[in-house]
Amino acid sequence: MNGFRDEVREFLTEHAPDVKPRAGVRSPETEAELAVLRAWTAKLFDAGYAGADWPVEYGGTPGHDVLRDVVVAEEVARAGALQAPGGSMLAAQALLGFGTEEQRRRYLPRIRSGEDLWCQLFSEPGAGSDLASLRTKAVLEGDHYVVNGQKVWTTNGQWADLGYLLARTDPAAPKHKGITAFALDMRLPGVTVRPLREITGTSDFNEVFFDDVRVPVEAVIGKPGQGWQIANTSLAHERSGVGASVVTLERNWSRLRELAAATGRLDDTETRDRLAAFLAEIQALSVHTRLSLARWREGAERALDAPVAKLAFSELNLRLAEYALSLQGAEGVLTEGDPGVVDDGSWQDAYLYARAYTIAGGSSEIMRNLIAERGLGLPREQVGR
Amino acid sequence: MSGDLALGEDQRDLAAMALAFADEHTDPAAVLAGADPLWTDKQLAAAGDLGLTGLLTEDGGGTHTDLAVVVEQLGRTGCALPIAPVALAAGLAESAGLRPAGLCVPAVAERGAPDITAEPAGDSLRLSGRAEFVLAGAEADQVLVLAHTAESSVVAVVDTKADGVTVTPRSILDISRRFAAVALESAVAVGWAEADTTTTREAAAVHLMADAVGAASRLLELTLEHVRTREQFGRAVGSFQAVKHHCANMAVDLELSRGAVLAAMRALDDEDPVARAFAVSSAGSFAGEACSRLAGLALQLHGGMGFTWEQPVHVFLRRIKTDELLGGTPRWHRARLLELTGANR
């Protein structure tokens, strides 16, 4: 695997687009940046670094090993390079697992070439961590579904050509059973995308509104009512990215050490103690991640493996950024644009963006519930009392 | 990439065997009653018959990882038997060509304290210095002293009854094991040899952390059992989210500690001394404190019961805090960790 790692590194050094380093997963800010993302997506697929786990007839790598995905994700994080768009990758998994032959032939090549950018239309204002309670409706009328409702936290929504939508098609069914997955054309009449401006001042996420949007029945992925199962199966493929979060922490730690040196605090005992404590915790998380990836590959993953990694990463990532600001003293209040700001304000950006990880993809509280209930077998919260 | 880290089938069997043995030879009531000694020669001999105390000898054929796997089970049961020190002494003595007699355990200065010094005097070797916390030091017939001459590191066998040797039982936080201070004032060694003692020193630290991980995993189990059955306000306290979140935090600390200690165990069997020191001090920095944090939550979640003498929670909490502070404090390990990154990373 080390040969492969070197190969990926070399590829990234040579080809990765030069983008402004920012914390977290960010959307393009301009048409030019969007074009860069599309071209980069195509390159990643051409090189076999994205979609390697797809069936060979759709361009996947013969004899693919999931460890390759882990290595790619780690090296992309190490290089601070762009990832292939998450929504596109997720939609591809749904199509591969549940789509029709016609859907696969139509969409997959365009995902590979970067021509189609997908967004994920899951979360709603009233359905965040409790996704199964989503309320966006799709009502069958002849050969069309009529969609009404609202989504939120849609990464790349403002640029997306297609949306991987979950909507409720059977209000009478139990809440996990009445959901259907769709491949929705974002240019259909009645789809309105409104960028949200976030804590970081940038717009990475969007609100998406559906007002009597008529979606042909051919857009259904899998069977009506199968949406929940499809979503969970496609989300499981995100596991290979957890190694990348450790790399991100290691990268941030190295920068933190440089920051300590630059601020003249590296010889201070207290600072050294804190730096070492962060490093030790990152190492511990790294081992946990490697062990749980191994269990996942062997099909022996434990229910607490993934939530432990997610919780530990997001909390540690936040503490690290907070510490970076405190190391800067009063100058820690400066932000991008101020002539006195340290590292172009990247630590302030990281400090603000770190909140996304403790909330998105299941908040830290939800992770703790998952660990306690599914991992440790504690009784479920009694609701509705 | 990870198969090299995870425990193998043999090690899982070894763990199961060690757990059964430690369970059989641990008497929690005797610990609470303050019995002294807490173990007998016969029990230690039984551990020897199973190969546990001889793991690191050539006949034993075990690795440091194997020994740490065993030690974790001792922590899990709160067992008093000094299996790790006896095994460490046996392995090091054999590789140095020494033949200690009777019960022999290592005597080593604490991390950060002055090393024990050895001075050749004609054909003999005289040792001076202190080892403050020697497990089974009071019961030992001999100690295997890890010391330094002006030129090199040596191991020396010293009779505990010899002139210049003072052994003082210590009163410490941990009530499940007995430690003694060994003071050497120009004590004459009965045998000695030059030897590389770094792995043994690192191993002593790793075994304490493995012990803490074992004890912590027991505390998490006890706590889960308690919160599942204990009712307040008409429902199991384990259904309250605040309680569940404490339990989840305990699980995170345990998982990450276990990983750190596993990497350290593996590094002991590795040749690269820098990688070894790095892994050991990562574990020493994180695992000791994390296990103590877990123990604190275990006590908290047991409520008033956790504060009573009869409940085993405090026995494990005491043991874990002891594991945390001996073998190098987390602070000591962190200082070393940062030095290592500057020099070698």
Side-chain angles (χ1 to χ4, degrees), chain A residues 4 7 11 41-50 61 68 112:
Chain A
F4 180 69
E7 180 195 313
F11 172 84
T41 303
K43 264 194 185 160
L44 283 171
F45 272 102
D46 282 347
Y49 299 152
T61 309
R68 289 193 161 222
R112 296 187 63 88

Side-chain angles (χ1 to χ4, degrees), chain B residues 191-222:
Chain B
W192 58 285
E194 281 191 15
D196 182 2
T197 56
T198 48
T199 307
T200 306
R201 296 202 73 175
E202 302 283 31
V206 174
H207 292 317
L208 288 163
M209 296 169 221
D211 185 87
V213 165
S217 67
R218 177 70 179 280
L219 276 183
L220 179 57
E221 278 166 22
L222 287 172

Side-chain angles (χ1 to χ4, degrees), chain A residues 43-362:
Chain A
K43 264 194 185 160
L44 283 171
F45 272 102
D46 282 347
Y49 299 152
D53 60 331
W54 295 11
V56 180
E57 61 264 42
Y58 300 109
T61 309
H64 169 261
D65 182 333
V66 70
L67 275 188
R68 289 193 161 222
D69 297 339
V70 175
V71 169
V72 170
E74 285 176 356
E75 292 308 319
V76 166
R78 204 182 311 276
L82 292 170
Q83 299 168 344
S88 298
M89 302 303 280
L90 201 65
Q93 291 300 337
L95 294 168
L96 287 168
F98 301 89
T100 61
E101 194 53 36
E102 147 72 17
Q103 285 172 331
R104 294 177 190 174
R105 281 179 202 282
R106 180 165 167 200
Y107 295 122
L108 295 177
R110 296 177 63 86
I111 287 177
R112 296 187 63 88
S113 64
E115 285 165 280
D116 280 353
L117 179 64
W118 288 63
C119 61
Q120 173 196 335
L121 298 165
F122 286 11
S123 292
E124 296 183 6
S129 292
D130 182 17
L131 182 59
S133 69
L134 63 87
R135 290 163 64 181
T136 293
K137 279 186 307 187
V139 179
L140 187 60
E141 281 181 13
D143 55 0
H144 280 76
Y145 280 91
V146 179
V147 180
N148 279 286
Q150 184 194 342
K151 296 287 174 178
V152 72
W153 308 123
T154 309
T155 309
N156 289 330
Q158 72 273 51
W159 306 114
D161 307 286
L162 287 135
Y164 171 16
L165 168 74
L166 291 184
R168 189 166 299 283
T169 44
D170 185 356
K175 68 178 188 175
H176 291 86
K177 302 260 164 99
I179 298 170
T180 299
F182 295 88
L184 175 126
D185 183 344
M186 293 293 282
R187 292 185 188 87
L188 285 174
V191 177
T192 310
V193 180
R194 204 156 66 195
L196 286 167
R197 191 167 188 222
E198 297 109 32
I199 184 171
T200 45
T202 52
S203 291
D204 303 300
F205 308 115
N206 300 268
E207 293 177 298
V208 180
F209 299 87
F210 309 104
D211 188 11
D212 285 333
V213 180
R214 291 178 61 79
V215 185
V217 289
E218 296 84 55
V220 171
I221 304 173
K223 297 190 187 80
Q226 208 182 7
W228 184 253
Q229 184 200 345
I230 296 172
N232 278 302
T233 309
S234 47
L235 281 170
H237 285 265
E238 290 188 339
R239 286 288 191 284
S240 54
V242 297
S245 35
V246 173
V247 171
T248 302
L249 289 173
E250 285 173 345
R251 200 164 168 260
N252 288 347
W253 188 86
S254 294
R255 292 185 54 231
L256 189 64
R257 192 172 184 279
E258 283 163 26
L259 176 68
T263 53
R265 299 274 296 274
L266 196 53
D267 294 326
D268 172 52
T269 312
E270 206 56 43
T271 309
R272 293 177 69 84
D273 194 58
R274 286 293 297 273
L275 281 175
F278 280 128
L279 181 60
E281 197 168 342
I282 294 168
Q283 294 309 308
L285 177 58
S286 165
V287 178
H288 166 80
T289 304
R290 284 153 68 196
L291 289 171
S292 40
L293 271 173
R295 285 191 286 265
W296 174 58
R297 277 179 84 213
E298 291 156 14
E301 192 181 25
R302 301 170 307 166
L304 55 69
D305 282 345
V308 162
K310 202 265 182 185
L311 175 63
F313 162 75
S314 47
E315 296 293 324
L316 180 52
N317 179 56
L318 174 59
R319 276 187 278 130
L320 212 135
E322 282 173 336
Y323 188 63
L325 258 58
S326 90
L327 263 184
Q328 296 173 28
E331 263 114 53
V333 304
L334 299 175
T335 53
E336 188 181 354
D338 189 282
V341 74
V342 172
D343 289 347
D344 292 332
S346 63
W347 286 111
Q348 285 71 19
D349 183 56
Y351 163 72
L352 296 170
Y353 197 88
R355 299 289 171 179
Y357 292 109
T358 62
I359 296 168

